[in-house]
Amino acid sequence: MNRLIVIVGPTASGKSALAMRLALRFGCEIISGDSMCVYRGMDIGTAKPSQEERQQIPHHLIDIREPGEDFSVADFQQLAGEAVKSINQRGKIPILVGGTGLYVQALLEGYKFSSTPKTELRDSLTENATHESLAIMDPKTAARIHPNDRKRILRALEVATSEQRPISCDKTSNNPTLLFDCIVFGLSVERQELYRRINARVDKMLEAGLMNEVRLLTNRGLSDESTALQAIGYKEIAAHLQGLVPLADAIDHVKQSSRRYAKRQLTWFRRMPYIQWIEQDEDEAFNFMERQVAEKFVIK
């Protein structure tokens, strides 16, 4: 069974910094579990590791797609699984650093996905993507979605069809089977402190050139519905660049969306019973993780 270290948590909780420290300590390689870090040209808004960090420690699943391309959870599951195996074959332990709960859980628990290509599946569902059909397949989700919200209705039908489960279904059992010999850490930060970090991070991104990064993406002719321009930080700034909202409002929207996303991340991760939660500062967290990893994998 392949070995794996996993660090999850909400945005701005310090996952990447701790992953770097653990990687340097144990000679690990890092796998990104962030759904947006796969896209080239989206560096600032996704808080990608710097070039210097990537030179220090090999990183995987970063900059592997163009912003206009699709990248699904099934794609991630396949590529991340291959990376885990390859790193283990080289005698090293990979560290999966993730903020995208579905991606992490799909990899660890081995979710099964339809072999039908996404475009074909969507095309086959679009004509019958009605609120009534969703109510039959997944009444719990249908009750939460407005009958005119075609996009969410279609997404719920895709999940129900491709994964053979309602999107409302909590797939985590009390004792799920994991595909790896792994240890999973979760970073928990007090809410007000987390929100302070998120707001500060957004300000820092803007100082680093987020506005220009979004401008470059919009100049490439990407549609407003593209994955890149739907990402938090990109969608709001793009709206400002199009003259739809004042800059101050766009920045407030980025911070608000980021805080809401962090809340959703925590809700998702709290359902995964095998996570060891850590509520300490970075140095204490690192010391705890270092001991746990060394004991589990018998590393001196």
Side-chain angles (χ1 to χ4, degrees), residues 39-291:
Y39 293 109
R40 302 183 188 98
M42 297 175 64
D43 302 332
I44 298 171
T46 62
K48 278 181 191 170
S50 67
Q51 289 297 328
E52 180 182 357
E53 289 172 326
R54 283 187 255 178
Q55 288 173 358
Q56 280 186 293
I57 299 294
H59 283 68
H60 303 262
L61 272 62
I62 292 178
D63 292 344
I64 61 173
R65 291 287 190 277
E66 292 299 327
E69 295 182 293
D70 285 334
F71 188 76
S72 68
V73 59
D75 294 329
F76 171 80
Q77 187 184 51
Q78 176 186 344
L79 295 176
E82 291 171 357
V84 170
K85 181 179 179 180
S86 175
I87 294 167
N88 271 268
Q89 288 176 339
R90 295 197 298 274
K92 297 183 177 182
I93 303 176
I95 302 176
L96 175 65
V97 185
T100 305
L102 174 61
Y103 281 27
V104 174
Q105 196 168 11
L107 176 67
L108 298 185
E109 299 181 26
Y111 284 10
K112 302 298 183 184
F113 296 99
S114 169
S115 59
T116 304
K118 183 177 179 181
T119 53
E120 291 182 19
L121 176 62
R122 175 159 291 202
D123 289 345
S124 69
L125 291 172
T126 298
E127 184 177 349
N128 297 312
T130 64
H131 194 264
E132 291 77 11
S133 59
L134 179 61
I136 295 172
M137 296 185 70
D138 186 358
K140 188 174 179 180
T141 298
R144 297 200 311 262
I145 298 178
H146 191 279
N148 294 332
D149 192 342
R150 291 271 299 172
K151 185 174 181 179
R152 292 183 65 199
I153 290 171
L154 180 56
R155 173 59 186 152
L157 287 169
E158 282 182 326
V159 171
T161 302
S162 66
E163 300 182 32
Q164 298 298 303
R165 70 170 179 101
I167 199 170
S168 59
C169 178
D170 180 357
K171 292 183 69 174
T172 304
S173 67
N174 291 327
N175 188 28
T177 301
L178 303 184
L179 301 186
F180 306 96
D181 180 14
C182 63
I183 185 167
V184 186
F185 300 110
L187 303 185
S188 180
V189 181
E190 190 273 328
R191 179 167 295 184
Q192 291 306 312
E193 170 60 16
L194 180 62
Y195 287 176
R196 184 196 68 77
R197 292 188 192 182
I198 289 171
N199 292 341
R201 170 180 274 195
V202 172
D203 290 336
K204 187 175 180 181
M205 287 176 174
L206 288 161
E207 292 171 5
L210 177 60
M211 187 97 57
N212 189 55
E213 184 168 271
V214 177
R215 184 179 289 109
L216 290 173
L217 286 172
T218 57
N219 288 343
R220 296 176 62 171
L222 296 176
S223 105
D224 291 342
E225 298 301 315
S226 67
T227 300
L229 295 184
Q230 286 298 308
I232 294 174
Y234 295 86
K235 179 179 181 179
E236 297 82 0
I237 297 300
H240 164 68
L241 293 174
Q242 293 166 10
L244 300 177
V245 296
L247 178 58
D249 290 349
I251 294 172
D252 285 343
H253 293 162
V254 175
K255 293 177 178 179
Q256 184 181 65
S257 296
S258 299
R259 294 192 298 266
R260 288 175 175 171
Y261 178 55
K263 186 176 179 180
R264 293 196 301 272
Q265 288 175 299
L266 281 170
T267 298
W268 187 290
F269 290 129
R270 292 290 185 188
R271 299 195 309 242
M272 298 163 67
Y274 41 81
I275 294 176
Q276 295 188 44
W277 287 99
I278 304 172
E279 300 182 13
Q280 301 161 315
D281 65 28
E282 183 179 321
D283 287 338
E284 292 174 332
F286 172 74
N287 291 335
F288 173 80
M289 295 163 78
E290 181 186 36
R291 290 194 302 272

